[in-house]
Amino acid sequence: AVSTGGSMTAAQPQRSITAYLLAVATALMVALAAGAVWCVLQLYARVDLIGLSLLAGLIVAVVVRRQGFAQSGMGVLIAMFSTALACAYASYLLAAAKVASYLGIPMRSVLTSIGPDMAGAVAWADMSLFHIGTLILAIVLSAWLVWRKPAPARKPGAPPQA
């Protein structure tokens, strides 16, 4: 059975390979969706929204924890890979949009014809040290959020603990 959160302990039953695959597939799909939304928002806003990489990392971490991988090495790896995928996918889509706007052709045509080498070169040309640092921070943030212990439960109406 897949738990909905909390830490993995020896007392929990072993998960099936199907549960693992479902958790990985869910994290990857959420990462791709986050990357696509990031791209759309950046294209509409017409400003650099590299900070959305941090939000993508947060969302991926929440999903990984909810899939029962809180405080596990496997969960950290899934979160890191998924967050990196979200960042790479957003960069790929933004590079394709840039090429499409320069050439005056539909983005759909560019997406089917642009190669990873060209997309990577266009995306890399737009990167600054701040961008690279923010992307690394997003990956580290997602790993830390999966690895950290959950906050202690409070009784309703009790003041927060210092």
Side-chain angles (χ1 to χ4, degrees):
V2 176
S3 76
T4 59
S7 64
M8 290 180 44
T9 63
Q12 289 180 332
Q14 283 287 46
R15 291 192 195 112
S16 68
I17 189 70
T18 305
Y20 278 111
L21 292 176
L22 182 62
V24 170
T26 302
L28 294 175
M29 291 298 111
V30 165
L32 291 172
V37 169
W38 169 5
C39 174
V40 168
L41 290 175
Q42 185 162 323
L43 290 174
Y44 277 114
R46 295 185 178 171
V47 294
D48 186 8
L49 296 177
I50 191 68
L52 289 180
S53 63
L54 300 171
L55 182 60
L58 169 73
I59 293 168
V60 165
V62 168
V63 167
V64 171
R65 287 182 72 88
R66 289 291 193 169
Q67 292 292 324
F69 286 96
Q71 294 183 286
S72 73
M74 180 63 75
V76 167
L77 290 175
I78 293 169
M80 290 176 73
F81 180 80
S82 297
T83 302
L85 177 65
C87 295
Y89 188 55
S91 296
Y92 170 76
L93 292 174
L94 290 167
K98 187 175 216 176
V99 170
S101 70
Y102 285 161
L103 298 177
I105 59 176
M107 190 166 165
R108 180 180 37 206
S109 299
V110 173
L111 285 171
T112 58
S113 61
I114 192 172
D117 52 342
M118 183 174 180
V122 172
W124 186 253
D126 288 338
M127 291 282 174
S128 68
L129 286 177
F130 177 75
H131 287 94
I132 294 167
T134 304
L135 296 175
I136 291 170
L137 181 61
I139 294 168
V140 171
L141 174 69
S142 69
W144 177 77
L145 289 173
V146 169
W147 188 254
R148 73 178 178 84
K149 292 182 181 178
R154 288 192 304 140
K155 293 181 182 178
Q161 296 179 352

